[in-house]
Amino acid sequence: MIQSMTGFGASEKDGFRIEIRSLNHRFTDISMRLMPWLSEHEIPLRNLLKERFSRGKFDATVTLKDYSKLKLKVNTALAKEIYDNLNFMKTDLAISEEIGINAMLAYKEFLISEEPEYNISSLYDAFNQAMDQLEKMRRNEGRTIQEDIVKRIDHLESLNKQLMELSPEAENKFKIKINERIKEFLDEIQTDKDRITHEIVVLAEKIDITEEIIRIDNHLKQFRKILSNGDTIGKRLDFLLQELNRESNTVGSKTDDYKISSFVIEMKSEIEKIREQAQNIQ
């Protein structure tokens, strides 16, 4: 089943709170926010996301809900050294202000360390559960997108079939129109009628849209096949949409028939709507 690239998953276990959000992205982009004492787990957690998901921009946050499990440790030896040096500066520079606790707190990152008590397996269990929730949401949204795209493919196939039915009629109208204009000239000038007839046939072939219609039909069948296979398909669908758009443009440029032009406009509109949906597929 296909996945959307938009989703959210969250989980809690033994004080850990995990939140993972994902958005559209051409590749895999992961941003991790961890507490300093969990930094050693950043790469393993990143790898878990890469193994589970192929595309998307991911924002993962790991926090500890129960701060009673944190133990603070003060480096008193370093604190004394900092205090002595600050006092030396005070005397040397004749600073009247007293050296208090607020001055020492400016160095808290060096003086105070956190020594939490936590279960590593709980961290990874919570992270995997959050990924499960994220994947479930991405798949649910992917199912909705797939259903919408399939309806639009049905419509495109219907339009393409009508184009095929209109093509001979449009070609005959073109031939009649050209013949009528040429007859007007033939009444006044001497020329090679066989050559003119040949040129008409060649020109009619140039406006023939049969090949484009067949290619559109093949692209739509391939589109259905890719959708049914699922997995990582966003980039392949984008390529097919470019091809569909190119063929519909060619059909539009080959004919001035009003009915065919209106169908082409409708097809291009559907293709653009599918593109908007496909951009959110993994």
Side-chain angles (χ1 to χ4, degrees), residues 23 35 37 78 85 96 113 141 143 155 163-164 187 205 218 227 242 265:
L23 298 171
M35 288 166 282
W37 42 271
L78 180 58
N85 278 280
S96 60
S113 60
E141 187 171 339
R143 185 184 302 110
H155 189 200
L163 281 179
M164 179 66 81
D187 291 338
E205 289 176 352
N218 289 335
L227 274 177
Q242 292 179 36
I265 292 172

Side-chain angles (χ1 to χ4, degrees), residues 239-255:
F239 173 77
L240 276 178
L241 287 167
Q242 292 179 36
E243 294 300 308
L244 282 168
N245 197 55
R246 183 180 293 112
E247 298 298 344
S248 62
N249 281 334
T250 302
V251 171
S253 66
K254 278 189 170 186
T255 179

